[in-house]
Amino acid sequence: MFKKILIANRGEIALRVMRSCREMGIEVVAVFSEADRTAPHVLFADEAYLIGPAPSSESYLNHEKILTVAKASGAEAIHPGYGFLSENTDFARKVTESGMIFIGPPAAAINTMGDKTIARQSMLKTKVPVVPGTEEPIANIAEALAVAVKIGFPVLIKAAGGGGGKGMRIVHAAKEFESAVGKAQRESQSAFGDGRVYIEKYLEEPHHIEFQILADTHGNTIHLNERECSIQRRYQKVIEESPSPFIDEELRLKMGLAAVETAENCNYVGAGTVEFLVDKYKNFYFLEMNTRLQVEHPVTEMVTGIDLVAEQIRIASGQPLSFKQQDIKVTGHAVECRIYAEDAAQDFTPSTGEIVMLQIPDGAGTRFDGAIRQGMEITPYYDPLLGKLICWAKDRESALNRCERALREFYIGGIETTIQFCRSVIKHEVFRKGSYDTHFYAHFKEELHAELSASSEEVLLVAGGVLHHHRDQAKHQSHRSDSSRKGRSNWVTFQQGRNV
Amino acid sequence: MFKKILIANRGEIALRVMRSCREMGIEVVAVFSEADRTAPHVLFADEAYLIGPAPSSESYLNHEKILTVAKASGAEAIHPGYGFLSENTDFARKVTESGMIFIGPPAAAINTMGDKTIARQSMLKTKVPVVPGTEEPIANIAEALAVAVKIGFPVLIKAAGGGGGKGMRIVHAAKEFESAVGKAQRESQSAFGDGRVYIEKYLEEPHHIEFQILADTHGNTIHLNERECSIQRRYQKVIEESPSPFIDEELRLKMGLAAVETAENCNYVGAGTVEFLVDKYKNFYFLEMNTRLQVEHPVTEMVTGIDLVAEQIRIASGQPLSFKQQDIKVTGHAVECRIYAEDAAQDFTPSTGEIVMLQIPDGAGTRFDGAIRQGMEITPYYDPLLGKLICWAKDRESALNRCERALREFYIGGIETTIQFCRSVIKHEVFRKGSYDTHFYAHFKEELHAELSASSEEVLLVAGGVLHHHRDQAKHQSHRSDSSRKGRSNWVTFQQGRNV
Amino acid sequence: MKYEINTPKHSLQVEFQFDSETLIIKTDKETLSFEAIQVQPGVYSVLMNNRSFVVGICPIEANRVNINGTPIKLELLDEVHLHLRQLGWDALKETKAGLISAQIPGLVTKIFHSAGDQVKEGDPLFLIEAMKMENEIKSPVSGVVKRIDIVAGQTVEKGTNIIEIV
Amino acid sequence: MKYEINTPKHSLQVEFQFDSETLIIKTDKETLSFEAIQVQPGVYSVLMNNRSFVVGICPIEANRVNINGTPIKLELLDEVHLHLRQLGWDALKETKAGLISAQIPGLVTKIFHSAGDQVKEGDPLFLIEAMKMENEIKSPVSGVVKRIDIVAGQTVEKGTNIIEIV
């Protein structure tokens, strides 16, 4: 087993990976940009190396610098987390060439699956159905538009080189097409260092369901059931759960087999996620495969009891999986809420500033994978994800009750967050029933935001009272400090001087 | 089911009870002393009532005030937590007489079991063996001494009216006897409002093993297996785990039956704990029954998946238990570390002050039941327990690895805590092997403290460097702020005045 | 002293009165006892008739508070302002609609117009990138671009003026 | 500049030298680059040759630090103090052994002596109750009680002088 691992990432995922390493007795090396000198992943690592200025292109995406630091530290392997270099074939190859181990799939599998267009082509060899769309990245805007027209609007423009909703745009009509492609390309370039985008049919009323995969180097590939990820805003997941309230045992079996076939088709090794769209008739289509750890992986960990990061590390060190498909048992229900530094009331625009007060929920079945602390500055440089609240209980209803309770006791002061937005989703009758699809947010947007801004007379009185009190305090304080400051600096000093 | 519950307690247990109430849709009413106005249990309650000055005798032990507030708030039931009024027959009776429900056993059962001497007498009716000792509280010091001499030193002096190690003293020789009784009596009086103490034979090399009991009002009594509580200092538990590495399946079965018999013998209702001493030949003796929720109850929750507070509330509302003895399944292993505000290096003396930085561990299988926040003042008025770190994993070794990792990432700045002490216990070879008894601390005291104060050259250099840096900063800052303060108040103001 | 608490949906007449440490709040329906204590700078614990709230004051917008996690924006007018309003002054209309500032801190990657351009309400004005997301800022009014205060490629703080449209 | 770092068990000669933001630490074995940045008042993040430490400065005892959670007490002597020591001065012996102050804040419940009493080392002096535990404070020296600064029933802060024995 490795003795030392470098984590080429920041934020909650760096801390998450660190935890599994420590539990396995492995030392952890952190890397950080100038903006992250006092970030939690630096404070709690065994070693930490500065790799460049704040912009990620000059730090967290800097292959050479990271490789140099890894060699200097004596790390035997590199864990890329998600985002940044996690799906970068080039980087994976360089790590191997430097004599270290890349904790992730072989470069060839990243190449096939990481590139969304090649992935779609490769899937044609299998029996797994694929969503209609372009087979190549967009090279020529006119040709691309012709394809879009042929498929029929609305279409999705998606990043070929990455996932997580970045570089993604929905286009409803031909006239919006060119501008949307431009935006998606720029966003992809900035997020993944790869500006290529492609087109996919936008299915209506679909469920976004994904299967967790684990494959070792000894030819064993298994799946760890599904995650339901249909609660999205801005094409980014906000709430995920497992099991999916939409999937029955028969469909689960079929999709699980398709997921394993997908992984085997590209000789996959490590942890990966096969994403499907499922329409309301329970037809499913392969969407893409994420060749890395997924943000929402803890949902699967909570119901299976398996530490996915520990498995990634064991697989990378050459060990076979210690369990078979039939050993995977799902216990209870888990739901995850992503806590972003965003102002839900202002169309989820990023919110920055100092966290002046922080109370993280805890207790039975309550897990927070985060990387924040009171007194910390949230900067505009990186992804706005502050962390993920994951609640587990013996059944779905109890898990949702627990989640509501945890969101109620979650307090982050000084910046805006999605805590209350998540709470209004969890409380929503349709979500409670489990009868939702990817249009949930668009459909209930008004209602959810009305719930957020609903103020009872009691709340108004509290708000008015606090403002009054605050202004009153400020007035008194400025009086007091004015006079005391002046006093200390001349009058009182003078008096004291006489007494001495 | 109740709509509103008053929690007659503070600190971590108030927050713990609040969590279960919220998950059940029950509103929570907090009570607080003047010292606790901004304590977490006040901040996160639905309602909060001031009940008096800081000393607990005037606030958290004030029956009348708490009952008045409960009535005023419209609470239907009162949860006493542990400590304070949780084992006070008088209070339990008054709650019932006021038309509310006391979430705990009937006053008669508290009377029998809560009073340790009556409990010992009542156990003579059963087949459960009892530790030798006095049957009455100490009334006359000479007679008591005669009993102690007859039993043979060392003996334990214990509070008749409470538990948790308060009002407890070990006496090795007759000459220490009178002074120890005095101390124990004063401590008991202060902690439980009841100064009576009794004598018990001090067994050598024993294990402290306790069984969790649940009994409903419909005649069902079951146990939820044991907790091993032999890691103690100052006769107070520091680390607990379940299952016990010392107990085999046969002994577990016998002790479980004895625990259920004990509860049935006093017509017990609610959650309770039957404590046993087990000698190295695996003979067990009834020690006492705690007629309340135990500090270390989360250990049992983690391995059984049962929310003990929720069960207490359901039982109090008249519901039957929803599971039978054979439904109780233990999964994995859990260990709890108590985090006290104490200086382990100075014989665990209490440490007070402001928490200037706080990083609570989190992640899979990691639970912290606490009530602290950054910026909070730890006062000298109450129990020094800041919270409990509970780690769960699939087996004992993984749970201990997880616990070590969590303790490593736990940071409380500004006060001394037992975090590192717990870490040196968890890392200790004998503890790792699971072959320890209640003498573990006394036996390995030197070693554990040496481990705590062991400083590598690296640590010394860091310490020296930081002190140097800190003094250097302080010097520069005082220069800067001196000149800037003076400047702003006369010289610069004058200059600015001329420019305007 | 009389006050008015306004949100886009509600308006409430209240009277605030200090009784040593406690504030007494009177509405036309009830009288409440209100006590606030600072927990951290800008964060208060409030007990109003024993109901407990944690309230944060927004460090940037003076009229925005966060109550038990729910953000709300309100206007608290005292007698002086209430009187001014009777004379025709409207506090809510004080902001200049044509002065567009950065609502988020970030990097301005593109500006679509130059001084003198005609723009219509809803036209894209500039792109601002923060936390890896590109945000398109649209014009809230129709008019002529009077001046542009920054250039593409510049990093801006929240509140920095970008474009003025008249 | 030369320094000496002492603990009860170790003594280490080092040289500290600032190189802009970085402190260079030289021992007889190695040269280390040391960088500290304040995270919260009194809490520093240290990178020493890229090894990461969180270090807290004890707010009460100037020579006590907490490194990654482990408290250690040390003495850092600069050249001036090293020189003074050569002249016979000992920093560690500065405290007055006979002046007993409260090591913890709490309530003094009982004082066993009056001024003028003879006490032996190890004799109980007073009881102090904090966090519900009674703590017996024993005399560190033998001698005569010179004065008692407080009365039983009084609440004291950490560091309050209680009894002086000469």
Side-chain angles (χ1 to χ4, degrees), chain A residues 19 23 362 368 405 409, chain B residues 19 23 362 368 405 409:
Chain A
R19 286 175 175 146
E23 292 177 14
D362 215 311
F368 182 66
R405 180 274 294 171
E409 78 183 56
Chain B
R19 285 174 175 146
E23 291 177 16
D362 214 312
F368 182 66
R405 180 275 293 171
E409 80 184 52

Side-chain angles (χ1 to χ4, degrees), chain A residues 246-471:
Chain A
F246 178 69
I247 300 293
D248 56 43
E249 210 40 61
E250 194 194 331
L251 184 58
R252 181 170 292 123
L253 214 64
K254 279 200 289 188
M255 291 179 72
L257 286 175
V260 169
E261 187 182 350
T262 303
E264 286 176 340
N265 179 53
C266 67
N267 301 313
Y268 199 80
V269 172
T273 296
V274 183
E275 297 196 342
F276 296 101
L277 286 181
V278 187
D279 70 17
K280 59 179 171 182
Y281 309 106
K282 304 205 170 174
N283 299 311
F284 65 90
Y285 302 93
F286 169 80
L287 187 63
E288 60 182 49
M289 181 167 185
N290 295 322
T291 60
R292 51 162 167 88
L293 195 65
Q294 199 88 334
V295 175
E296 59 272 25
H297 75 277
V299 161
T300 299
E301 294 185 324
M302 298 300 271
V303 293
T304 61
I306 290 168
D307 179 334
L308 288 169
V309 173
E311 293 305 324
Q312 286 189 299
I313 296 171
R314 283 193 200 104
I315 291 168
S317 79
Q319 294 183 15
L321 287 174
S322 61
F323 38 78
K324 301 203 180 311
Q325 188 66 60
Q326 61 267 31
D327 300 326
I328 304 302
K329 296 266 175 299
V330 166
T331 309
H333 195 96
V335 56
E336 172 182 282
C337 294
R338 297 197 190 185
I339 311 302
Y340 289 107
E342 290 179 351
D343 187 346
Q346 287 182 46
D347 200 25
F348 298 97
T349 49
S351 171
T352 57
E354 187 193 334
I355 296 179
V356 295
M357 183 166 148
L358 178 63
Q359 192 83 22
I360 294 173
D362 215 311
T366 307
R367 165 179 175 183
F368 182 66
D369 275 20
I372 50 177
R373 57 174 180 79
Q374 186 169 314
M376 179 186 184
E377 189 78 22
I378 303 300
T379 67
Y381 301 111
Y382 311 107
D383 191 283
L385 186 67
L386 298 172
K388 299 138 12 184
L389 172 69
I390 308 106
C391 290
W392 176 93
K394 62 184 195 303
D395 53 45
R396 187 170 188 268
E397 198 195 340
S398 311
L400 298 185
N401 289 343
R402 179 158 286 170
C403 193
E404 225 185 290
R405 180 274 294 171
L407 289 165
R408 166 72 173 83
E409 78 183 56
F410 209 150
Y411 192 87
I412 302 182
I415 54 168
E416 303 293 336
T417 72
T418 52
I419 293 172
Q420 289 306 310
F421 175 73
C422 289
R423 199 165 164 224
S424 59
V425 173
I426 297 282
K427 283 165 83 171
H428 196 279
E429 194 192 7
V430 170
F431 183 81
R432 278 269 165 182
K433 271 191 209 151
S435 57
Y436 63 87
D437 58 38
T438 51
H439 297 303
F440 176 85
Y441 175 62
H443 199 90
F444 296 110
K445 195 173 169 171
E446 307 282 304
E447 236 174 273
L448 293 168
H449 288 286
E451 155 92 26
L452 265 178
S453 62
S455 319
S456 63
E457 188 168 313
E458 187 183 39
V459 166
L460 282 185
L461 291 173
V462 170
V466 165
L467 274 189
H468 179 65
H469 179 89
H470 185 68
R471 289 174 188 174

Side-chain angles (χ1 to χ4, degrees), chain B residues 56 166 169 183 186-187 190-191 234 341 343 345-346 349-352 356-357 374 378-384 408 411 414 416 420 423 450 452-453 455 457-473, chain D residues 3 5 7 9-10 12 14 16 18 23 25 27 29 32 34 36 39-41 43-44 46 48 51 53-57 59 62-72 74 76 104-105 127 129-136:
Chain B
S56 43
K166 298 214 173 88
R169 284 288 184 282
K183 278 179 209 157
R186 280 189 299 274
E187 242 179 62
S190 154
R234 229 198 232 168
D343 188 347
Q346 289 183 42
T349 48
S351 171
T352 57
V356 296
M357 182 164 147
Q374 187 168 314
I378 304 300
T379 66
Y381 300 110
Y382 311 107
D383 190 283
R408 167 71 174 83
Y411 193 87
E416 303 292 337
Q420 289 306 312
R423 198 164 165 225
L452 264 178
S453 62
S455 319
E457 187 166 315
E458 187 183 40
V459 166
L460 281 186
L461 290 173
V462 169
V466 165
L467 273 189
H468 181 64
H469 178 89
H470 184 68
R471 289 173 187 172
D472 193 65
Q473 289 285 99
Chain D
Y3 282 84
I5 302 170
T7 69
K9 288 181 197 158
H10 304 83
L12 208 60
V14 297
F16 290 150
F18 270 106
L23 181 71
I25 302 183
T27 70
K29 280 177 262 170
L32 298 144
F34 176 101
V39 179
Q40 292 290 322
V43 181
Y44 293 89
V46 170
M48 187 172 78
R51 304 269 307 161
F53 304 88
V54 178
V55 188
I57 305 284
N63 289 329
R64 194 177 162 99
V65 299
N66 180 311
I67 301 187
N68 284 353
T70 303
I72 83 161
L74 72 158
L76 177 67
I104 46 171
L127 298 177
E129 189 187 297
M131 290 172 170
K132 302 287 119 196
M133 297 297 286
E134 187 173 89
N135 301 277
E136 189 178 81

